[in-house]
Amino acid sequence: MASTLSPSTVTETPSPPETSEHIHNAADISVIVIYFVLVMAVGLWAMLKTNRGTVGGFFLAGRDVTWWPMGASLFASNIGSGHFVGLAGTGAASGIAIAAFEWNVTTMPEYLRKRFGGKRLQVYLSILSLFICVALRISSDIFSGAIFIKLALGLDLYLAIFILLAITAIYTITGGLASVIYTDTLQTVIMLIGSFILMGFAFAEVGGYENFTEKYMNAIPTIVEGDNLTIQSKCYTPQGDSFHIFRDAVTGDIPWPGTIFGMTVVAAWYWCTDQVIVQRCLSGKDMSHVKAACIMCGYLKLLPMFLMVMPGMISRILFTEKVACVVPSECVKHCGVKVGCSNYAYPMLVMELMPNGLRGLMLSVMLASLMSSLTSIFNSASALFTIDLYTKIRKRASEKELLIAGRLFIILLIAISIVWVPLVQVAQNGQLFHYIESISSYLGPPIAAVFLLAIFCKRVNEQGAFWGLIVGFVIGLIRMIAEFVYGTGSCLAASNCPQVICGVHYLYFALILFFVSILIILGISLLTKPIPDVHLYRLCWALRNSTEERIDLDAEEERREEADDDVDNDNPEETRGCLRKAYDLFCGLQSKGPKLSKEEEEAQKKKLTDTSEKPLWRTVVNINAIILLAVAVFVHGYFA
């Protein structure tokens, strides 16, 4: 059936699977309770440890984070429950190629304002980034996390979502980025331990790697007829190239040119320009810590192939009838969705394979991945809204008002994301990770093009960057809306989407969109007035080492804002009672401390803009970067 958004598809909520009774035992529940206590304790410690009373303290953790929690947070922010459900699900459906997505390794709109001047680029990119948060990140994460909770506890999908978001929002809203980063570190440890244990159980169950490769190719469901449909064998037989990353350029579900070039564009957008990732790097102690954190994250990103994709494939071997179901009525019986149950591959493995206690640990792992990813997105989206949008509406808003506005915005974001969940449920033939990557391919390339040219081509100006973003977004949006309206189709029935719009694979589309955006940006920039060098010192590659003083394009406006801040800061602090003090402490709204002198402000500014490194540690991180690159190339070659 084509995955169109028919009401019947969206509202199907069958009774929970029988496996839900497995989680009702003391061992599992004890592990989950201990997990929550640990997470809340770490979040509370980080909350009290850092100054959350300033925008910099709340959104950038005081810029004093060392490499190992930063690297763990980068990994945990990226590896959400969407990866456990989505990677494992697509692995179960089509093999290991999906793992290639894992082997690419103040706010970003604010940089564009400094680089190009004006407000429209900053405001537009902030709004677009918030839209991507809803359409791509939050909705897919809460959907995949809720699948697991629904299967484990027998709860209604939306009740599970509400409980998860309530817990996650509490320590994000109160704790700020420091709380997020340190809880992410704990979540990463729990994720890795639990995933390694499950991988061991899964491979033991199928008799090792050799048996795994043989059995996967024979994991064919017995019910392949029904619902008055003629079902071709390719719809339920594992693909011949299941154990290859590089697949046919025309017929492959993830074609090899798309893997090499299209993924690179999407990865450049996500890892180099996305607020969630960059915000963690901005919180680093110094440049060596930032580089070390990125390298640590790169090493950790080699693991999802073995911890998620292969266990998902093993799930197809063990639960072929459910995970590989192809007849729509059978799929509805097993998981409530017509387009397939591959998204249930990993949760089913946990529920059926793990003993009491360890099953609770794995539920904690899923909660950890969901909550770490969501908290990161909430904090970053809140930063975008507060710094880039709210300050345009309320030019003289106090720091306290900005912090409260950011926290209230998180609640609004949660409500919008829940409404988006039904679209995620049926998109891309029911394979969550294909949904995630396809939306990234439609919305990310123009942003990657703008940032790439902003840094490496000083001739690019505001007009070119703005219209390149706008035209690129419109083209991507046409493709995305067409897929939602017509459906992406399935093996059983092709989509009715016009070939001219939907006929190109989404990774090829990303590549085309990227180059179209570049041509528009360069073309309009060359036809309009260039930006003088005096405004570009240390903002683009050619002038990165300049020591001359930069005159920002919006320097006059910044001076007015600073003058307004000075006026606000002169106001005497009101007296507060005990209850008010306790409330302010919990919410991070306590006083900001003594006002810095001009000398102290200059010293702090110098520290924050210093990118120098100690020669020893620079050498260590650079050597590790080369080793990581060599390992990544080897793994790609081995599984090619």
Side-chain angles (χ1 to χ4, degrees):
M1 302 290 289
S3 60
T4 49
L5 303 178
S6 63
S8 61
T9 312
V10 174
T11 56
E12 283 159 355
T13 51
S15 58
E18 295 170 8
T19 48
S20 61
E21 66 189 37
H22 291 322
I23 210 71
H24 299 160
N25 62 78
D28 287 336
I29 292 169
S30 300
V31 171
I32 295 167
V33 169
I34 291 168
Y35 159 75
F36 272 114
V37 170
L38 267 175
V39 168
M40 296 306 266
V42 170
L44 187 64
W45 169 78
M47 198 169 88
L48 298 174
K49 173 179 176 286
T50 54
N51 175 23
R52 298 163 291 132
T54 65
V55 171
F58 186 78
F59 292 125
L60 294 179
R63 291 189 172 179
D64 198 35
V65 180
T66 52
W67 65 273
W68 58 272
M70 200 195 320
S73 183
L74 282 169
F75 179 72
S77 302
N78 172 247
I79 301 291
S81 54
H83 283 68
F84 281 97
V85 170
L87 275 179
T90 302
S94 59
I96 68 171
I98 197 67
F101 281 103
E102 300 309 296
W103 292 345
N104 281 297
V105 242
T106 285
T107 67
M108 295 309 290
E110 201 171 14
Y111 165 75
L112 290 186
R113 190 181 82 167
K114 284 192 176 294
R115 171 64 176 81
F116 295 114
K119 293 180 182 177
R120 60 180 184 174
L121 260 178
Q122 182 184 13
V123 171
Y124 168 74
L125 187 61
S126 299
I127 294 170
L128 177 59
S129 299
L130 293 173
F131 173 70
I132 290 172
C133 277
V134 172
L136 182 59
R137 306 271 171 66
I138 304 172
S139 50
S140 60
D141 271 350
I142 59 180
F143 168 63
S144 54
I147 281 180
F148 201 95
I149 307 304
K150 174 184 168 187
L151 194 65
L153 302 177
L155 297 176
D156 174 76
L157 187 75
Y158 284 92
L159 177 61
I161 287 171
F162 178 78
I163 293 169
L164 286 170
L165 290 176
I167 295 166
T168 307
I170 287 171
Y171 72 82
T172 312
I173 290 171
T174 57
L177 185 63
S179 179
V180 170
I181 282 179
Y182 286 106
T183 51
D184 277 356
T185 306
L186 173 65
Q187 317 272 38
T188 298
V189 173
I190 293 171
M191 269 194 273
L192 292 176
I193 292 171
S195 304
F196 270 110
I197 291 171
L198 181 61
M199 182 185 72
F201 271 92
F203 274 104
E205 189 72 18
V206 294
Y209 186 81
E210 291 301 321
N211 284 341
F212 156 59
T213 55
E214 182 185 335
K215 288 179 179 179
Y216 178 81
M217 299 309 294
N218 295 313
I220 301 169
T222 55
I223 302 174
V224 294
E225 293 179 356
D227 294 359
N228 296 319
L229 293 170
T230 303
I231 301 173
Q232 299 175 21
S233 61
K234 67 176 184 178
C235 298
Y236 51 81
T237 305
Q239 297 175 194
D241 55 6
S242 291
F243 287 90
H244 299 283
I245 286 177
F246 293 156
R247 299 181 176 179
D248 189 273
V250 178
T251 59
D253 59 334
I254 304 177
W256 70 264
T259 301
I260 296 173
F261 304 111
M263 277 188 200
T264 303
V265 170
V266 177
W269 159 68
Y270 180 76
W271 288 105
C272 301
T273 74
D274 187 72
Q275 178 66 19
V276 175
I277 300 301
V278 175
Q279 189 178 8
R280 267 131 203 81
C281 296
L282 289 175
S283 71
K285 211 168 190 174
D286 58 41
M287 186 60 76
S288 291
H289 279 276
V290 173
K291 287 161 73 174
C294 294
I295 291 164
M296 173 185 169
C297 178
Y299 279 120
L300 292 174
K301 286 287 288 177
L302 293 169
L303 299 176
M305 160 81 111
F306 311 100
L307 299 183
M308 300 169 201
V309 177
M310 288 184 177
M313 296 168 75
I314 291 172
S315 184
R316 176 176 179 137
I317 297 169
L318 300 177
F319 317 111
T320 308
E321 300 303 324
K322 294 179 181 179
V323 175
C325 69
V326 67
V327 179
S329 59
E330 286 297 308
C331 293
V332 169
K333 190 191 304 179
H334 293 307
C335 64
V337 182
K338 289 181 180 180
V339 291
C341 297
S342 60
N343 286 334
Y344 283 75
Y346 200 89
M348 214 168 283
L349 202 62
V350 173
M351 299 307 301
E352 299 290 348
L353 213 57
M354 301 292 269
N356 292 350
L358 286 179
R359 192 182 297 111
L361 174 67
M362 284 312 299
L363 179 55
S364 299
V365 167
M366 292 297 291
L367 289 171
S369 65
L370 171 72
M371 292 170 68
S372 61
S373 187
L374 284 179
T375 51
S376 303
I377 296 162
F378 288 158
N379 187 269
S380 298
S382 178
L384 282 172
F385 171 77
T386 305
I387 295 168
D388 293 326
L389 298 178
Y390 191 77
T391 51
K392 302 292 179 290
I393 302 165
R394 294 270 298 166
K395 292 183 185 298
R396 297 188 61 180
S398 66
E399 198 138 36
K400 182 175 180 178
E401 183 182 337
L402 292 177
L403 292 169
I404 291 171
R407 285 155 171 159
L408 291 175
F409 180 72
I410 291 173
I411 297 169
L412 175 65
L413 208 58
I414 289 169
I416 297 169
S417 301
I418 291 174
V419 174
W420 196 272
V421 168
L423 298 178
V424 181
Q425 194 169 9
V426 295
Q428 284 294 332
N429 197 19
Q431 291 184 39
L432 179 64
F433 211 77
H434 275 307
Y435 165 81
I436 294 170
E437 294 306 329
S438 63
I439 299 297
S440 300
S441 300
Y442 306 152
L443 302 179
I447 302 174
V450 165
F451 276 100
L452 185 77
L453 292 175
I455 293 167
F456 292 107
C457 181
K458 70 175 186 174
R459 181 62 182 82
V460 169
N461 61 18
E462 193 270 353
Q463 293 95 322
F466 179 75
W467 290 109
L469 269 178
I470 291 290
V471 174
F473 175 69
V474 169
I475 294 170
L477 201 61
I478 289 170
R479 170 72 181 254
M480 190 177 85
I481 292 171
E483 285 199 354
F484 281 145
V485 171
Y486 292 103
T488 50
S490 70
C491 192
L492 303 183
S495 169
N496 294 320
C497 183
Q499 279 289 106
V500 69
I501 298 175
C502 301
V504 179
H505 190 279
Y506 61 80
L507 288 174
Y508 289 148
F509 184 85
L511 206 55
I512 294 166
L513 185 55
F514 178 70
F515 284 111
V516 167
S517 300
I518 283 180
L519 288 173
I520 292 167
I521 294 165
L522 288 175
I524 294 176
S525 294
L526 291 171
L527 293 171
T528 48
K529 191 179 174 184
I531 299 171
D533 284 3
V534 70
H535 301 304
L536 300 177
Y537 297 139
R538 295 175 300 285
L539 289 176
C540 58
W541 185 259
L543 302 172
R544 68 191 183 281
N545 294 321
S546 172
T547 55
E548 297 178 55
E549 184 180 354
R550 182 179 72 241
I551 300 173
D552 286 336
L553 287 159
D554 51 2
E556 188 59 40
E557 185 181 340
E558 285 184 356
R559 276 197 291 273
R560 282 199 301 270
E561 287 173 2
E562 285 174 11
D564 290 341
D565 288 344
D566 289 340
V567 171
D568 291 340
N569 289 336
D570 289 337
N571 294 334
E573 189 177 342
E574 59 184 87
T575 54
R576 300 175 297 162
C578 291
L579 282 175
R580 178 62 186 273
K581 284 180 181 176
Y583 168 79
D584 286 351
L585 177 67
F586 180 71
C587 291
L589 300 174
Q590 63 267 41
S591 60
K592 294 172 280 187
K595 195 175 188 298
L596 297 177
S597 66
K598 282 287 181 188
E599 292 78 14
E600 288 171 325
E601 282 183 0
E602 283 300 319
Q604 189 179 58
K605 185 178 179 181
K606 187 177 179 183
K607 180 190 172 188
L608 292 177
T609 55
D610 182 24
T611 57
S612 61
E613 299 176 77
K614 291 179 181 177
L616 172 64
W617 292 114
R618 183 178 60 212
T619 304
V620 169
V621 294
N622 288 348
I623 289 171
N624 266 282
I626 293 168
I627 294 170
L628 174 61
L629 185 63
V631 171
V633 170
F634 168 77
V635 178
H636 270 94
Y638 183 82
F639 288 104

